[in-house]
Amino acid sequence: MMLTATLAPDATERLRERLKWFLFSRVLLASAFLGTLAVVYLRSGGQRYTVSVGLLLGAIVLTYGFTIASAVLLLRLERLVVFTYVQLGFDVLLTSGVVLVSGGGDSPFGFLYSLGVINAAALLSTPCALATALGSCVAYTSLIALLTGGAIPRPDYPFHPSPPDLQLVLRVGTTDVTFVVIALLAGSLVRRLHQAERRLGQAEIVHHRLAALHEALARNIGCALITTDDEGAVTSLNHTAEEIAGQCAVDVLGKDVGVLFAALRHSPTGRRQFLQSATNVQPTEFVHRLADEREVTLRCSTVTLRDTYHHFIGTLYIMQDVTKLRELERRFDAETVADVPVPDLEIEDPPETNGLLGTSPAIMRVHAVIAKVAKSDATLLI
């Protein structure tokens, strides 16, 4: 799995920010280590070992100079993957120099390779961490082999170096394996952190969308919405409530709801009674005077707010201006409905049916028989 040399614009900017912290931490670490090394090992006395002052000063100048140049290039480069590998490679070489002057195979600063591996995982995830770990293994093993073989002049350490035996080989091999294991663990951890970061970003986007939707609904719902805490202090209100109350939200937050509407000014006991009476099933109405001295009729219902343990935490007031509706009702009641005359219509008498209904031929013959018999004095029983 290889990383491409280019990244998406957002990924590039995130990598740029991480590289800034990486360079800053290098300056702090190098300053602390080289300063300590200069104070401890360059003092006069029999405990010191021969390390060229010029070499240490040169390392300090090289570290600061390379870091400053990298910081300048970081602000101008667009392709940062290669730049990141170069920075990590320089750290591996710098750590190798630290190990060289502080004991070789017996140096206590071999762990600095691990810091480079962790930085690589943080910058470019697992592939970069593995590449840095392999580079650290090669650099560390080669350094110990060259020192043992005499290819590199060994500094005059204040202790006897470990002989090139099996124990040294096992220690170097264990250290190399540790670098690879750290790369895998750090890469896995960073990958999980990146996934969590992406999920958090998506959750924030959804939250902002829901918040915007809630605000849009609250501003355009047409009803005044006011929430209060358990003591009746206003905690939020929408734009419609601001218009009816004639005050801005920032001016009334924390004040009693009775400041906005005089009809809602109650004692604690009276507020409980009002909340019980002004439910959604049975709203209450009251007259409110606006800032321009107009009186409007408000219809108010309340909803009790409770937490997950069903503890009372506040109240939601829902108010609607029903002034125009009440005016229409009064106007309708005042108007008299004119009586509409009903025309007299001539209603024809229905034909006699003799108690028989129907127009079938058989019924018509029965009617004929009845008509004939009706003209005589005979009695007919059907």
Side-chain angles (χ1 to χ4, degrees), residues 135-186:
S136 299
C137 293
V138 172
Y140 183 68
T141 305
S142 301
L143 177 63
I144 301 303
L146 293 175
L147 283 174
T148 304
I152 297 178
R154 183 188 298 273
D156 186 12
Y157 301 126
F159 50 84
H160 184 70
S162 299
D165 54 6
L166 181 60
Q167 184 179 2
L168 178 61
V169 174
L170 291 176
R171 186 165 67 248
V172 173
T174 303
T175 304
D176 291 342
V177 172
T178 302
F179 295 157
V180 177
V181 172
I182 290 176
L184 294 175
L185 294 177

Side-chain angles (χ1 to χ4, degrees), residues 300-358:
C300 176
S301 62
T302 62
V303 178
T304 301
L305 304 179
R306 299 184 182 275
D307 60 13
T308 56
Y309 295 98
H310 300 285
H311 296 154
F312 175 69
I313 60 174
T315 306
L316 170 64
Y317 291 86
I318 306 173
M319 285 179 284
Q320 186 178 8
D321 186 356
V322 294
T323 305
K324 293 183 178 179
L325 180 61
R326 295 294 174 261
E327 290 178 355
L328 290 176
E329 291 178 352
R330 288 193 295 269
R331 188 180 304 171
F332 179 80
D333 294 338
E335 293 179 353
T336 57
V337 180
D339 294 331
V340 180
V342 179
D344 295 332
L345 298 178
E346 295 183 356
I347 301 176
E348 298 181 354
D349 295 334
E352 296 182 356
T353 60
N354 298 317
L356 300 176
L357 298 176

Side-chain angles (χ1 to χ4, degrees), residues 199-264:
R199 288 196 295 267
L200 179 61
Q202 294 173 357
E204 289 180 349
I205 292 175
V206 173
H207 173 72
H208 291 323
R209 289 177 178 175
L210 290 177
L213 177 60
H214 176 270
E215 182 179 358
L217 289 175
R219 287 183 175 274
N220 299 281
I221 197 172
C223 293
L225 303 179
I226 303 175
T227 58
T228 63
D229 58 14
D230 56 347
E231 296 181 354
V234 177
T235 56
S236 68
L237 66 162
N238 65 348
H239 184 66
T240 305
E242 292 181 7
E243 292 182 348
I244 294 177
Q247 300 186 47
C248 298
V250 294
D251 297 331
V252 298
L253 292 180
K255 297 182 180 179
D256 190 275
V257 68
V259 176
L260 299 179
F261 304 97
L264 302 180

Side-chain angles (χ1 to χ4, degrees), residues 11-62:
T12 300
E13 292 304 318
R14 289 195 297 269
L15 178 58
R16 195 187 307 275
E17 292 297 323
R18 290 196 292 268
L19 282 170
K20 291 179 181 179
W21 285 104
F22 171 75
L23 296 177
F24 180 70
S25 62
R26 175 198 288 168
V27 171
L28 293 181
L29 187 61
S31 301
F33 174 77
L34 295 176
T36 303
L37 193 67
V39 171
V40 174
Y41 293 112
L42 294 181
R43 62 186 179 183
S44 60
Q47 294 295 327
R48 76 182 184 92
Y49 60 91
T50 306
V51 178
S52 172
V53 176
L55 177 62
L56 290 178
L57 293 178
I60 295 174
V61 172
L62 177 62

